[in-house]
Every structure is written in structure tokens, then in C-alpha cells.
Amino acid sequence: MHVAQIFKQKKPVVSFEIFPPKRDEALKSIDGTLEVLTELKPDFISVTFGAGGSLTNSKTVEIAGKIKRNYGIEAVAHLTCLNYSKAEIIEMVNNLKANDIENILALRGDHNPNLEPKNDFKHASDLIEFVKQNSDLGISAACYPEGHPESANLSEDVLNLKHKVDVGAEHLVSQLFFDNNIFYRFTELCKVAGINVPIEAGIMPVINKAQIERMVTLCGASLPDNMKRILDKYADNKEALFDAGIAYATSQIIDLLAAGVDGIHIYTMNNPRVAMKICESIKNVISR
Ligand code: FAD
């Protein structure tokens, strides 16, 4: 089923994101994670694509295929395009189809200084248009409540986002953010721009100070003062930071649900304990 169809049937949608383990021999370790995550019955699970140099999307496809076939949960395979030719993308799309995967999250990917980009795709919108013309896959895309770091401003980014929707993106997943007002302002801007597809709020539970600082530097998300205080106070106490990070993410999610968002996409970081704790804390809120 296309992810967009799930949104037609239910609201709010709750989904998880996982990434393939870096080393091939660790690929088996994802099985334990999947056992727990699928038990929580998310509406779909998306699997990232490490791009940067890999010639195929085989690890992403293997895991997404397992989610779909072994657990009966809809899977979304991330797919980047900057470093691939049209022929390579066709091959990867065929690989997805052969593994019963019906949805992609179509991305440009980041520039890799060690790799010469191929010139077939410049933006995610080029990939979206190409996949739309050449397959019947459901297509999701990324959006940025604080604007993509390469954009001159948020309005310009939202115009480019509108183009992604116009050429075929049926659903959007947001970059992480820690201040819900930023997300609300962004969805208002999207509405004004005529973007009418479901927008899922991307929530990253913070359980590791170094990891989150690296991430916000890369993606340009801001850290509000209350999050900075938590990081400063509990950085050296793993369990305390875990509790505080889960509580912060849970309270963000409850506020988003109360405001009537289309869906919540939880960046699980392959940590089933994170997903379990959050799902346990919101189970009655979700069903209302
Ligand atoms: P685009 O939509 O192409 O946007 C990139 C920049 O170009 C923006 O500034 C945009 O405003 C501008 N732009 C877009 N279209 C046009 C246009 N037609 N003309 C002019 N300017 C334009 N990376 C991975 O490598 N693997 C993953 O699995 C992965 N998963 C992600 C999941 C989510 C939910 C998010 C939010 C990001 C993910 N990323 C992933 C990171 C992503 O690849 C980077 O953020 C990348 O820099 C931009 O990708 P994009 O698809 O948003 O690009």
C-alpha cells in the first residue's frame, strides 16, 4: 500500500525510521531491533540509504523487504540520487519492486567531497519526477521546518518543496526539530503555498549529547534553551539523559497530537528501548 493511502485511512499515523548497520557482518543485529519495533505496530517503517559511495541499495532493500514480508508492516526505502545515473536508479527501483517494496523516500542526498556527482539528477524533485514516470511506487519526500541549510530562506525552501509535491511527492517527512512552534509555523507556510499532502513531524529523542550536537550542526536545526539545559545537566549521566530525552520527546509528541498533526515519525536510531518507552507513554493519547 502507498503510504499516502495509510493517511487516508487513519490519523495520526505513527512511523519509525531505522538505518542499516554500517558493517555487513552486523546486518543480522537489525533482526532483534525489528522484532521489538514491529511488535509496537507502527503504520510503516522507513529504512535510510547510506548513499556515499555504495553502488546499490541492497542493505536498505534487504531490511525493508524483511519488514514487509516477515512482519507485514509497510516499508519505505530511502533513495538518494546525486551520485547515481538514471540507469542505476532504474536498477535500484527494479530491485525494490522485486522485493515487494511499494514506497520510497526520494532524496537528493548530501554532496560527498570524495565522489563526483553524476549529472542526471540535481535535486530530489528530478528523482521524484523520474520515478513517477517510470514506476508505480509511492513517493515521499523530505521537508525542513527550519529550512534546508543550503536555502537562502524558508520561503524559498517551501517553494522548492511545493515543486517536489507538484511533480509527485504524496507525503512529506520533516527534519528533526525541538520547538513545536517552528513546526506549526512551517505547516502554515506550506498550507499558504498550496501544499496539501500529509506532513509528518520528525521527532528525534535525544539520548546522546555528542550525537545530537553533531546532527544539529549538519542539518541546521536549532537547539532551544530548555533542550540545551538538559544536555548540559545530564550529558555525563547516561540513564538520566535517557529519561530526560524520552520525556522531552514524549511531551513534544503529545503537544503535536493535541494540535492534530497528520503523523509522527520517530527517529529510533535503531534503539528499540527508545521506541518502546515513547509508545508506552503515548498509547492512550494516540487512540483518542
Ligand atoms: P532537495 O529537495 O533537492 O533540496 C536540497 C536543496 O536544494 C534545498 O535547499 C532546496 O530548497 C533546494 N532545491 C530543491 N529543489 C530545487 C529546485 N528545483 N531548484 C532549486 N533549488 C532546489 N540522506 C541520505 O543520504 N540518506 C537518507 O536515507 C536520508 N534520509 C533522510 C530522511 C529525512 C526525513 C530527511 C529530512 C533527510 C534525509 N537525508 C538522507 C538527508 C538529505 O539527503 C539531505 O538533507 C540533503 O542535503 C537534501 O536532500 P533533499 O531530498 O531534501 O534535497
Side-chain angles (χ1 to χ4, degrees):
M1 188 193 294
H2 282 192
V3 162
Q5 196 60 33
I6 302 178
F7 283 87
K8 287 190 182 135
Q9 293 174 3
K10 104 181 254 272
K11 193 180 155 184
V13 161
V14 176
S15 58
F16 297 154
E17 180 169 307
I18 60 171
F19 54 84
K22 286 218 167 56
R23 286 172 294 115
D24 280 344
E25 62 271 26
L27 205 54
K28 272 215 141 315
S29 71
I30 202 77
D31 290 347
T33 306
L34 288 181
E35 285 288 332
V36 182
L37 293 184
T38 52
E39 206 37 49
L40 297 168
K41 305 262 177 286
D43 295 299
F44 69 87
I45 298 179
S46 82
V47 187
T48 66
F49 176 39
S54 63
L55 289 174
T56 72
N57 57 347
S58 62
K59 278 195 207 170
T60 300
V61 172
E62 183 180 334
I63 296 169
K66 233 180 222 180
I67 292 168
K68 180 88 193 245
R69 279 195 302 268
N70 298 8
Y71 300 99
I73 288 178
E74 213 47 67
V76 175
H78 295 205
L79 183 63
T80 66
C81 60
L82 204 55
N83 298 308
Y84 300 101
S85 65
K86 285 183 175 171
E88 285 165 332
I89 291 291
I90 288 284
E91 208 172 294
M92 291 198 246
V93 164
N94 289 341
N95 195 14
L96 292 167
K97 303 273 296 173
N99 283 276
D100 302 322
I101 297 156
E102 294 178 54
N103 296 281
I104 60 163
L105 178 61
L107 299 144
R108 184 197 69 181
D110 283 317
H111 289 274
N112 179 336
N114 303 315
L115 272 183
E116 194 57 38
K118 304 215 169 139
N119 291 322
D120 283 359
F121 303 98
K122 209 163 162 220
H123 301 290
S125 52
D126 302 328
L127 175 66
I128 294 166
E129 199 166 9
F130 182 72
V131 172
K132 181 94 184 159
Q133 284 163 356
N134 288 283
S135 82
D136 58 359
L137 288 170
I139 305 174
S140 303
C143 63
Y144 302 83
E146 298 183 65
H148 186 275
E150 290 168 34
S151 290
N153 53 57
L154 186 55
S155 310
E156 178 192 288
D157 204 35
V158 169
L159 277 182
N160 291 328
L161 182 62
K162 170 82 165 68
H163 183 55
K164 292 205 269 195
V165 172
D166 287 346
V167 295
E170 305 165 303
H171 153 240
L172 303 171
V173 183
S174 94
Q175 183 57 279
L176 59 92
F177 59 92
F178 297 106
D179 175 351
N180 288 355
N181 289 324
I182 287 174
F183 185 77
Y184 299 142
R185 197 183 60 212
F186 170 70
T187 50
E188 273 310 308
L189 274 178
C190 288
K191 220 182 273 171
V192 171
I195 295 171
N196 295 317
V197 297
I199 304 178
E200 256 189 303
I203 297 295
M204 167 78 74
V206 173
I207 56 167
N208 178 316
K209 186 178 184 204
Q211 179 190 48
I212 205 66
E213 286 179 343
R214 204 171 45 243
M215 240 165 217
V216 294
T217 308
L218 280 174
C219 77
S222 56
L223 279 178
D225 287 344
N226 53 351
M227 174 53 80
K228 281 189 196 145
R229 273 193 295 277
I230 289 174
L231 289 172
D232 288 344
K233 178 97 178 161
Y234 304 117
D236 300 328
N237 184 335
K238 229 172 137 194
E239 286 306 311
L241 184 58
F242 183 88
D243 283 355
I246 296 293
Y248 192 99
T250 303
S251 116
Q252 251 193 298
I253 292 171
I254 290 173
D255 178 61
L256 288 161
L257 293 172
V261 292
D262 298 316
I264 305 284
H265 186 71
I266 301 174
Y267 295 104
T268 69
M269 297 156 295
N270 292 10
N271 184 333
R273 213 173 132 222
V274 164
M276 265 163 63
K277 281 268 188 190
I278 291 182
C279 288
E280 174 57 27
S281 314
I282 61 171
K283 64 175 192 283
N284 295 312
V285 181
I286 284 285
S287 60
R288 298 272 142 180

